[in-house]
Amino acid sequence: AGVPPLLSIQGRVDARAEDVARFLKESPMIDGVGAFTRFVALDGPGKLELGMKFSLAPSENGVKEPPRINGKYTLLRAHAIALGERGIDISNLTGNVAFTESAVKSAGVAGVAYGNPMTIGIGSTADSVTVDFNARADVKHLTGVLPFRMPQQVTGTSDFTGRVLAKGGATEVSIESTLLGVSSALPAPLVKRTDEARKFRVLFTNTGQASEKIRVTMAGNAATPATDDPATRIDARFQR
């Protein structure tokens, strides 16, 4: 038997980030490697390297072989808003994202958010896409992310880590911090010293949907960072 006919397309072009995101959104890859475009809006300059292969052989049993895609997009000081309307504004994005029809992986993606460096890692499994990030922010800037306005008695800057998980058409977002560097003059159990570590976590489920739920937890005041006093532990739930 001869080699099945194959149409191969290769190209490299200057491409705006918003155009690449739109391509992913409008292609079958939106439910796979393009899932991150559901919660990240991109714009700005970049370069796209794209290879596509299409089988021209007759389909067997009515099932045609899907196209093969291999690409890499390089961000050139692009801009992004993550998490939709609540928005984390990220500027000066650089690095690259490599993708096929079934996998995505970033390398060296970094930018600036809230006036501080931010690093971002994008990866995938067979049925999910994750975006992990490390950032630093003044708590006063988190009002657009949290389901409540930060009281003026809470001040300071701390490091935050987060993960966005897209799976099965749903998106889950978690943000964590020790809150080192943040102080609170609120009454107990919300009082906190600047040098006191209290694990803080915000979890969004069904993100961006009418059924979105948000859970905010904070470990209780304790004598050492490794302990958690149940009497002053915080566990609050919200629904938008």
Side-chain angles (χ1 to χ4, degrees):
V3 177
L6 188 71
L7 172 63
S8 181
I9 301 173
Q10 295 276 355
R12 181 176 181 179
V13 65
D14 292 336
R16 300 281 302 179
E18 58 267 38
D19 294 332
V20 174
R22 184 165 55 250
F23 163 74
L24 292 173
K25 277 185 175 181
E26 296 175 357
S27 76
M29 292 187 290
I30 183 59
D31 291 320
V33 300
F36 74 92
T37 59
R38 287 195 174 108
F39 47 83
V40 178
L42 291 162
D43 67 84
K47 289 188 179 294
L48 175 65
E49 300 173 44
L50 184 63
M52 305 179 73
K53 294 182 179 181
F54 301 87
S55 173
L56 301 181
S59 59
E60 295 184 14
N61 302 320
V63 179
K64 197 167 184 65
E65 184 179 341
R68 301 298 179 187
I69 299 171
N70 194 312
K72 183 173 77 170
Y73 185 69
T74 301
L75 297 154
L76 300 174
R77 301 177 69 83
H79 171 255
I81 296 180
L83 308 184
E85 292 182 358
R86 73 174 54 88
I88 299 176
D89 196 298
I90 311 167
S91 61
N92 295 320
L93 270 170
T94 57
N96 63 71
V97 181
F99 58 92
T100 67
E101 72 281 354
S102 60
V104 61
K105 185 176 179 61
S106 66
V109 176
V112 176
Y114 305 121
N116 295 290
M118 181 179 192
T119 59
I120 301 166
I122 303 173
S124 64
T125 64
D127 62 353
S128 67
V129 174
T130 58
V131 179
D132 294 306
F133 62 86
N134 291 275
R136 183 171 178 80
D138 189 313
V139 290
K140 69 183 180 183
H141 292 141
L142 299 182
T143 297
V145 177
L146 298 173
F148 53 84
R149 183 173 294 278
M150 188 66 68
Q152 62 181 10
Q153 297 93 329
V154 181
T155 59
T157 299
S158 192
D159 295 324
F160 294 83
T161 61
R163 165 165 283 198
V164 183
L165 171 66
K167 183 177 181 179
T171 304
E172 179 181 287
V173 181
S174 63
I175 302 172
E176 297 186 3
S177 176
T178 63
L179 297 181
L180 282 169
V182 174
S183 66
S184 170
L186 292 169
L190 294 173
V191 65
K192 181 188 173 301
R193 302 186 317 274
T194 304
D195 63 350
E196 179 186 5
R198 292 182 69 176
K199 186 177 179 180
F200 174 77
R201 187 174 192 241
V202 185
L203 177 65
F204 301 85
T205 53
N206 297 326
T207 308
Q209 306 300 315
S211 58
E212 181 181 75
K213 295 181 179 179
I214 307 163
R215 183 177 182 183
V216 180
T217 58
M218 184 167 67
N221 300 99
T224 65
T227 58
D228 173 14
D229 181 4
T232 54
R233 187 181 300 153
I234 303 296
D235 191 339
R237 298 165 194 257
F238 303 83
Q239 184 158 0
R240 292 196 187 268

